[in-house]
Amino acid sequence: MHSYDEPVYLISVVATMLNIHPQTLRQYEREGLVEPSRTQGRMRLYSQRDIDRMKLILRLTRQMGVNLAGVDIVLQLKEQIDQMQKEIDQLREELSKVNRNGSVHMSKALVTKNAYDIIIFEE
């Protein structure tokens, strides 16, 4: 079994899996929508993550009528949301640790009163 990010699929296999022409995959690469890995001989290899990304691209273009420029914007926003979600998860974990320990380090103090947040930073 291969990991989600391990590049193992050739362009012909991916094109068959997604029922698209290999030239479409090359166009997505030219547009910067997907970046397959390359072998020493410069053959494209795709991971399962790449395939899932292309499925999203196909859904946006075929079912929702989004052009490739719009797809690029959607993918960038999705990456930003994913990054923000990771930060939220990390902050929740920190808050959980603080709640267990019962104290807050001065550099991370946050006091909520009414509708305002007061953040205190160490100088």
Side-chain angles (χ1 to χ4, degrees), residues 72-84:
D72 185 39
I73 291 169
V74 169
L75 292 175
Q76 287 179 33
L77 290 172
K78 183 182 178 317
E79 288 172 8
Q80 287 178 356
I81 289 169
D82 290 346
Q83 181 59 39
M84 288 178 187

Side-chain angles (χ1 to χ4, degrees), residues 38-93:
R38 298 284 186 141
T39 65
Q40 294 284 348
R42 304 288 298 149
M43 289 180 15
R44 291 172 178 87
L45 289 178
Y46 296 88
S47 68
Q48 187 60 49
R49 183 179 305 277
D50 295 328
I51 293 169
D52 289 346
R53 185 176 176 98
M54 286 181 282
K55 286 178 182 177
L56 174 59
I57 293 167
L58 291 171
R59 189 169 44 247
L60 288 168
T61 57
R62 291 179 177 170
Q63 296 173 3
M64 302 178 113
V66 179
N67 64 22
L68 292 182
V71 168
D72 185 39
I73 291 169
V74 169
L75 292 175
Q76 287 179 33
L77 290 172
K78 183 182 178 317
E79 288 172 8
Q80 287 178 356
I81 289 169
D82 290 346
Q83 181 59 39
M84 288 178 187
Q85 186 60 52
K86 285 180 186 176
E87 289 178 33
I88 288 169
D89 292 343
Q90 290 172 346
L91 290 171
R92 283 187 176 145
E93 180 62 30

Side-chain angles (χ1 to χ4, degrees), residues 9-16 22-23 25-26 29 44-46:
Y9 302 101
L10 294 171
I11 191 169
S12 59
V13 174
V14 175
T16 302
Q23 196 60 34
L25 295 171
R26 292 182 188 101
E29 184 180 0
R44 291 172 178 87
L45 289 178
Y46 296 88

